[in-house]
């Protein structure tokens, strides 16, 4: 008690705890959105990814109807997991267009045959050009695009059952 | 079933841990009570149960049981086996389980083998260990259950962070953990000794192997981590002063200081309070590091399990352990006498100097790491990087290394510089010669030039303690010190020459053309897509020839992982004895040329060779110490036997 020095470490430590506790209670932005949200999809034109469906171009995204733009690939394992939920969305009347990343027509056809086809159109993006230009960093990702081709929402990773209502709501907001 | 078995074992272990805490605490009043006799077995069984729980988690990852949340979120059926297993600890919950497992096993080991300390101190130590352990069990079981089941099994797992899908990194965190946990044992010893006021050479000898062991693992962990960051992140550097890197460096600095002061306490019964203080600080730094990494409170390239709720939990643990032990220290420090005296010019004097410098270094790293946190409280965002750490660190490092080159030549208790003046002259002459040589060679920065000179002097100085000795009969611990100090010189040489002599080239090269960096001529032969088990990549084929010699094939890649999706650059290296060529492939420009980043880094590998030598020195010292202990124990038991025989006659 007679020696003040021995109390210094404790005093410093308690100060640190105070600052840390304060910092912990501060809200932080945790969700990193693409900087493209709120902006129009850049011009593009993609050849069909499979013989059964038409390809995709910017004009398809500006037809006045909000849509889901799903970035996927037949070699992508989480894409298998999200397939049934895209089917659910389709049954609710949602139009889903796809962009297949670095894929082959026969693989795309095999995937659609095996896991179902929720898409009305699929463009083939062999060099990831579209993917990168709209701020997607991987597969799968799903964008809500309104009738004027403006990106309203970005969903990272696979679409799961719990995301379906949220996506439906975002689409409804994009349609109004 | 497996997950439930693991969870049950974990709860049982936690219960035994509570028993260990209670028994050890009550034994402070009556060390012959029945409860006191339960403490050691409780510690041993707790270790076994925690080990069992960890094995169960490994099993779940081995079979990829996707009904377990942790497996589903961190593993993936298409992943190579070794990374499936590494997935068990490559995440928050699993690594916490690994932590508590290693800690419980260490507690069991102390309970099993440690017989040197008075029983009361031993029980206090085990009790302190249980106190720390209990907090971690609470953390695991209440907030981070690794065995949690999903309501519905997942179809497929999400995968392991691709940056972690690297053999070096799979084993880097556990290595560091062994270090952190070893320091928790040292901490428990310090608290036990403070509680029973038994700070003496015996205590130091009991604590020393744990400090040494922890220090070896920390050294290896930092070395491996630095090399991983160097070749995996693709930015060409080996140390970034990132908060997470600092989180591992700070306990190392404290452990290095502790290692030297515990040696003084063991040999000379001096520096008692200082040793205890460092024991508390070293573990506090491990805990602080964990807190910084897990709470997301600081921005780091290693963002890991960012979660304010968990951060709050660890902050409470920090308050309990560090706050509690510092309070105990403040209350008790006055009652622990300083021990033996010594003069400034002595082995102890040199070691105190080393301790003060290491502590100062620790202070500036701590300040630099926490500074952004402080200013952020006032809404100012700053980042503190190499421009602060390098020069300010050097102010303390260089004098410390100078003393280190000659300190081991001094005798204990009191000596004169006149006696070692020849050795000092040799070291000084070598430093000046190298200094002159480098200054003639060209103009480099002040720090790398000083670094090269000090490295050369230290390299020679570290072998001087062997002079005039029979090399075969010199104690293993002396060899350990010599090799560890030489390792510092080697690492310093690597750092200084990498900083001074590196050459960098950012080139845009069409296929078939070449670029030059340093003595290398690199031709881009081909760019092709390749596929791995869970990624696809663009791979470049480079033919690199050194000084017109035979070309070496290099294949840098830009990889796209799809579970989870992430892009990583796989740099490639061509290693020669005198340095490394470092190549990274970037994007293709619109005109078809490929971006290449090339570095020629002379003697860069010496940084990590040095790290390995330092750890090897520690290992030799540890083996030497353990052998001496065993001999001493054997001699004692022989003496006891003889005494018994004599009594029987």
């Amino acid at each position: 008690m007679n020696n003040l020095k021995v109390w210094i470490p404790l005093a410093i430590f308690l100060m640190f705890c105070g600052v840390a506790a304060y910092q912990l209670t501060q809200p932080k932005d945790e969700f990193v959105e693409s900087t493209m949200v709120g902006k129009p999809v850049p011009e593009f034109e993609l050849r069909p990814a499979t013989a059964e469906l038409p390809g995709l171009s910017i004009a398809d995204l500006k037809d006045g109807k909000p849509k889901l733009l799903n970035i996927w690939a037949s070699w992508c394992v989480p894409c298998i997991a999200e397939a049934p939920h895209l089917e659910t969305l389709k049954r609710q009347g949602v139009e889903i267009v796809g962009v297949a990343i670095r894929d082959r027509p026969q693989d795309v056809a095999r995937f659609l045959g095996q896991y179902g086809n929720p898409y009305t159109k699929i463009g083939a993006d062999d060099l990831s050009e579209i993917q990168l230009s709209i701020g997607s960093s991987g597969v799968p990702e799903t964008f809500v695009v309104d009738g004027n081709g403006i990106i309203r929402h970005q969903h990272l990773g696979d679409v799961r059952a719990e995301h379906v209502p949220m996506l439906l709501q975002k689409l409804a907001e994009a349609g109004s | 079933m497996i997950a439930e078995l693991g969870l049950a074992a974990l709860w049982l272990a936690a219960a035994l841990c509570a028993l260990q805490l209670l028994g050890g605490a009550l034994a402070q009043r009556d060390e012959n009570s029945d409860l006191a006799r339960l403490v050691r077995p409780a510690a041993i069984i707790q270790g076994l149960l925690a080990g069992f729980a960890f094995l169960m988690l490994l099993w779940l990852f081995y079979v990829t049981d996707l009904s377990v949340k942790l497996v589903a979120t961190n593993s993936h059926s298409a992943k190579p086996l070794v990374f499936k297993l590494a997935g068990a600890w490559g995440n928050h919950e699993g690594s916490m389980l690994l932590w508590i497992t290693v800690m419980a096993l260490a507690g069991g080991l102390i309970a099993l083998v440690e017989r040197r300390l008075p029983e009361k101190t031993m029980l206090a130590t085990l009790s302190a260990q249980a106190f720390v352990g209990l907090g971690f069990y609470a953390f695991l079981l209440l907030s981070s259950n690794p065995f949690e089941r999903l309501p519905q099994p997942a179809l497929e797992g999400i995968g392991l962070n691709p940056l972690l899908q690297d053999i070096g990194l799979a084993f880097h965190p556990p290595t560091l953990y062994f270090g952190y946990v070893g320091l928790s044992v040292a901490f428990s010893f310090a608290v036990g000794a403070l509680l029973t006021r038994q700070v003496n050479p015996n205590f130091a000898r009991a604590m020393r192997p744990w400090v040494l062991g922890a220090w070896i693992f920390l050294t290896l962990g930092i070395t491996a981590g630095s090399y991983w960051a160097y070749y995996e992140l693709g930015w060409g550097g080996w140390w970034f002063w990132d908060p997470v890197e600092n989180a591992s460096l700070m306990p190392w600095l404290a452990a290095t200081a502790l290692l030297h002061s515990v040696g003084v306490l063991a040999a000379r019964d001096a520096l008692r309070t200082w040793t205890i203080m460092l024991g508390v600080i070293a573990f506090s730094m491990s805990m602080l590091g964990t807190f910084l990494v897990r709470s997301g409170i600081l921005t780091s390239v290693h963002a890991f399990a960012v979660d304010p709720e968990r951060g709050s939990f660890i902050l409470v643990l920090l308050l309990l352990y560090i706050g509690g032990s510092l309070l105990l220290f403040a209350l008790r420090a006055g009652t622990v006498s300083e021990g033996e005296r010594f003069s400034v010019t002595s082995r102890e004097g040199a070691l105190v100097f080393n301790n003060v410098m290491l502590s100062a270094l620790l202070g500036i790293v701590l300040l630099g790491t926490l500074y952004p946190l402080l200013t952020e409280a006032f809404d100012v965002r700053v980042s503190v990087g190499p421009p602060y750490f390098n020069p300010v660190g050097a102010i303390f490092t260089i004098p410390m290394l100078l003393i280190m080159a000659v300190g081991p030549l001094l005798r204990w208790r009191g000596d004169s510089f006149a006696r070692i003046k020849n050795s000092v002259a040799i070291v000084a002459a070598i430093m000046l010669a190298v200094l002159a040589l480098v200054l003639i060679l060209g103009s480099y920065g002040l720090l790398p030039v000083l670094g090269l000179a000090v490295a050369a002097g230290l390299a020679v100085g570290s072998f001087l303690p062997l002079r005039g000795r029979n090399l075969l009969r010199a104690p293993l611990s002396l060899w350990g010190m010599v090799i560890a100090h030489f390792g510092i010189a080697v690492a310093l040489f690597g750092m200084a020459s990498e900083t001074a002599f590196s050459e960098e080239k950012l080139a845009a090269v069409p296929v078939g053309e070449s670029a030059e960096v340093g003595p290398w001529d690199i031709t881009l032969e081909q760019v092709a897509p390749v596929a791995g088990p869970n990624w696809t990549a663009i791979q470049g084929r480079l033919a690199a020839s050194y000084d017109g010699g035979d070309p070496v094939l290099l294949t840098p890649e830009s990889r796209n992982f799809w579970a989870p999706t992430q892009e990583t650059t796989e740099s490639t290296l061509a290693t020669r004895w005198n340095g490394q060529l470092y190549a990274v492939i970037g994007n293709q420009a619109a005109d078809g040329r490929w971006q290449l980043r090339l570095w020629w880094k002379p003697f860069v590998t010496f940084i990590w060779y040095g790290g390995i030598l330092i750890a090897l020195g520690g290992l030799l010292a540890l083996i030497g110490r353990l052998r001496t202990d065993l001999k001493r124990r054997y001699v004692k038991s022989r003496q006891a036997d003889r005494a018994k025989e004599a009594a029987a006659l």
Side-chain angles (χ1 to χ4, degrees):
Chain A
M1 290 289 187
N2 45 16
N3 194 346
L4 274 179
K5 266 192 305 193
V6 294
W7 293 92
I8 295 172
L10 184 61
I12 296 175
F13 172 70
L14 289 179
M15 261 165 52
F16 162 76
C17 285
V19 175
Y22 170 76
Q23 283 292 329
L24 277 176
T25 53
Q26 295 304 300
K28 287 209 171 186
D29 268 350
E30 285 186 34
F31 190 74
V32 185
E33 272 193 337
S34 159
T35 53
M36 292 302 291
V37 172
K39 293 185 184 159
V41 176
E43 297 286 322
F44 73 95
E45 169 115 43
L46 295 177
R47 66 165 172 82
T50 166
E52 298 145 35
L53 290 172
L56 191 67
S57 77
I58 185 71
D60 300 317
L61 297 174
K62 291 184 176 170
D63 63 357
K65 263 173 44 187
K67 311 185 172 49
L68 288 183
L69 174 64
N70 180 239
I71 309 273
W72 69 288
S74 69
W75 42 262
C76 146
V77 180
C79 295
I80 301 170
E82 79 171 358
H85 308 301
L86 292 181
E87 283 290 338
T88 311
L89 283 161
K90 178 190 170 194
R91 278 199 302 276
Q92 306 261 354
V94 176
E95 185 180 351
I96 306 173
V97 292
V99 171
I101 306 298
R102 276 181 268 138
D103 227 328
R104 290 182 301 194
Q106 63 268 36
D107 291 334
V108 171
R110 182 184 47 77
F111 186 95
L112 298 181
Q114 203 166 348
Y115 303 105
N117 175 17
Y119 307 100
T120 53
K121 299 182 168 74
I122 305 178
D125 189 4
D126 290 334
L127 296 169
S128 295
E129 279 169 305
I130 305 314
Q131 186 185 19
L132 294 175
S133 69
I134 63 171
S136 152
S137 55
V139 278
E141 270 185 41
T142 305
F143 291 80
V144 175
V145 182
D146 72 11
N148 300 316
I150 311 249
I151 300 170
R152 292 298 192 88
H153 176 76
Q154 177 185 25
H155 178 84
L156 297 166
D158 53 327
V159 173
R160 302 198 200 147
E162 67 261 31
H163 300 136
V164 171
M166 181 269 296
L167 287 173
L168 285 171
Q169 198 203 331
K170 294 276 179 193
L171 279 164
E173 286 167 16
S176 63
Chain B
M1 191 59 199
I2 297 289
E4 284 68 31
L5 267 178
L7 189 61
L10 210 53
W11 276 104
L12 259 178
L16 280 169
C17 188
L19 176 68
Q20 183 182 332
L21 170 63
L22 194 70
L26 290 177
Q28 296 310 305
R29 292 208 180 145
D30 173 14
E31 57 182 286
N32 293 317
S33 70
D34 291 339
L35 219 47
R37 275 192 287 278
L38 284 179
V39 174
R40 281 185 195 252
I44 295 167
I45 299 169
Q46 184 211 329
L48 294 176
L49 282 171
F52 177 78
F54 188 69
L55 280 181
M56 292 303 102
L57 188 69
L58 277 182
W59 180 260
L60 292 172
F61 271 88
Y62 173 69
V63 300
T64 317
D65 184 339
L66 293 168
S67 68
V68 174
K69 190 177 168 196
L70 194 66
V71 180
T73 46
N74 289 286
S75 196
H76 186 268
S77 59
K79 205 159 61 165
L81 179 63
V82 58
F83 295 124
K84 276 188 187 172
L85 294 180
W89 60 75
N91 58 75
H92 168 76
E93 286 84 354
S95 62
M96 279 289 123
L97 181 58
L98 177 64
W99 176 303
I100 193 73
T101 300
V102 181
M103 205 166 134
L105 286 172
L109 192 63
I110 306 174
L112 206 59
V113 303
E114 192 53 59
R115 297 269 180 254
R116 190 166 12 203
L117 292 178
E119 189 64 12
K120 205 170 159 184
T121 310
M122 198 53 241
L123 294 177
T125 301
L126 282 174
S127 187
Q129 233 241 341
F131 179 59
V132 177
L134 209 53
F136 280 95
Y137 280 117
F139 190 21
L140 258 182
L141 292 167
L142 304 178
S143 135
S144 330
N145 176 14
F147 296 108
E148 191 183 336
R149 294 266 192 196
L150 286 172
Q152 221 180 343
L155 265 177
E156 189 44 271
I158 293 177
L160 175 72
N161 182 344
L163 283 177
L164 304 181
Q165 292 198 23
D166 176 90
I167 195 74
L169 204 69
F171 293 98
H172 160 66
T175 314
L176 278 180
Y177 269 35
F178 284 119
Y180 290 163
V181 174
L183 290 180
S184 84
V185 176
F187 170 84
S188 304
F189 271 105
V191 171
L194 264 184
L195 283 171
T196 58
R197 297 188 175 84
Q198 293 281 347
V199 185
N200 52 35
N202 261 337
F203 151 77
R205 288 191 198 111
M207 186 194 205
R208 180 160 55 189
W210 293 96
V211 180
L212 250 175
W215 183 79
I216 294 167
F217 278 114
L218 282 179
T219 308
L220 284 176
I222 295 173
T223 307
S226 158
Y227 192 63
W228 168 79
Y230 167 76
Y231 80 83
E232 174 73 27
L233 295 182
W235 54 289
W238 45 269
W239 194 262
F240 194 64
W241 296 107
D242 177 90
V244 174
E245 294 173 347
N246 294 347
S248 68
L249 180 67
M250 290 190 289
W252 186 84
L253 289 170
T256 311
L258 175 60
L259 188 61
H260 290 90
S261 94
V262 87
V264 174
L265 182 55
R268 292 275 309 133
D269 198 11
L271 302 185
R272 289 180 181 173
T273 6
W274 186 241
T275 305
I276 294 285
M277 183 69 210
L278 283 174
V280 171
I281 296 281
F283 178 60
S284 302
M285 288 302 145
S286 319
M287 284 292 296
L288 186 73
T290 315
F291 171 69
L292 292 179
V293 180
R294 308 286 160 125
S295 63
I297 206 163
L298 286 177
T299 328
S300 156
V301 292
H302 298 68
F304 187 75
V306 175
D307 184 343
E309 186 197 321
R310 281 174 190 159
S312 314
F313 211 121
I314 306 179
L315 189 61
V316 172
L317 293 185
L318 276 178
L319 262 173
L320 277 175
Y321 302 153
I322 306 181
S325 55
L326 288 176
L327 181 68
L328 180 70
F329 177 80
L331 290 172
R332 284 285 165 87
T335 69
V336 178
S337 68
E338 227 351 276
E340 299 289 325
R341 298 263 147 201
F342 50 86
S343 80
V344 179
T345 323
S346 65
R347 179 82 71 87
E348 292 99 316
L351 286 167
V352 166
F353 183 80
N354 133 311
N355 261 238
V356 171
M357 290 295 128
L358 279 168
S359 307
L361 212 49
L362 175 61
I364 67 139
V365 177
L366 185 63
L367 186 69
T369 311
L370 296 182
Y371 188 71
L373 190 69
L374 264 173
T375 59
E376 215 171 285
F378 303 101
D379 253 346
V380 184
R381 279 177 185 259
V382 295
S383 75
V384 183
Y388 160 77
F389 287 107
N390 289 343
V392 182
I395 293 173
F396 300 99
T397 310
I398 291 176
M400 179 177 79
L401 294 178
L402 290 177
I403 294 294
M404 189 178 142
V406 294
L409 302 169
L410 290 168
R411 292 191 181 131
W412 291 111
R413 207 151 107 194
D415 203 346
S416 69
F417 271 115
R419 197 181 61 78
I420 59 163
K421 65 173 187 295
N422 285 343
S423 309
V424 175
I426 296 175
V427 172
I430 290 166
M431 281 186 204
L432 289 175
V434 172
L435 201 62
L437 185 70
V438 181
L439 288 178
I440 292 168
L441 273 176
S443 62
Y444 305 103
L446 174 69
L447 286 183
V449 170
L450 283 179
L452 287 170
V454 172
L458 182 58
V460 176
S462 52
F463 283 100
L464 289 179
L466 288 173
R467 202 163 61 146
R469 275 183 174 264
N470 179 336
L471 293 187
L472 290 177
R473 302 191 60 170
L476 213 48
S477 54
L478 176 67
W479 271 107
M481 177 191 78
V482 166
I483 289 174
H485 284 185
F486 179 64
I488 300 261
V490 171
L492 180 65
F493 171 68
M495 295 172 196
S497 36
E498 194 267 346
T499 319
F501 310 128
S502 271
E503 289 181 56
E504 181 180 354
K505 177 77 147 277
L506 182 63
V509 186
V511 173
E513 298 279 308
S514 60
E516 271 177 33
V517 60
W520 291 87
D521 189 67
I522 298 119
T523 309
L524 178 63
E525 291 189 329
Q526 193 190 355
V527 178
V530 288
N534 53 356
W535 45 264
T536 55
I538 302 289
Q539 188 188 63
R541 279 172 64 96
L542 305 175
S545 102
Y546 181 87
D547 221 3
D550 288 335
V552 196
L553 179 72
L554 293 178
T555 52
E557 286 171 13
S558 169
R559 270 187 203 175
N560 280 296
F561 284 82
W562 29 271
T565 54
Q566 186 167 346
E567 195 172 324
T568 69
T569 40
E570 302 289 311
S571 56
T572 48
L573 299 162
T575 309
R576 287 172 51 86
W577 68 271
N578 63 346
Q580 273 182 334
L581 173 70
Y582 187 113
V584 178
I585 190 161
N587 298 322
Q588 191 176 25
D591 60 1
R593 296 189 300 172
W594 291 87
Q595 234 179 50
L596 287 180
R597 268 184 100 91
L598 305 165
W599 282 274
W600 164 234
K601 294 172 171 292
F603 301 108
V604 66
T605 43
F606 280 56
I607 298 174
W608 305 291
Y609 294 150
I612 291 167
L613 277 174
I614 299 168
L616 175 69
L619 184 65
L620 287 180
L622 181 62
I623 293 171
R625 296 290 176 208
L626 291 178
R627 226 168 52 175
T628 322
D629 280 358
L630 285 178
K631 254 187 218 158
R632 193 172 288 166
R633 191 180 284 190
Y634 174 73
V635 171
K636 263 201 184 148
S637 73
R638 282 285 298 273
Q639 277 169 347
D641 287 347
R642 279 205 204 114
K644 248 187 240 160
E645 279 167 30
L649 289 173

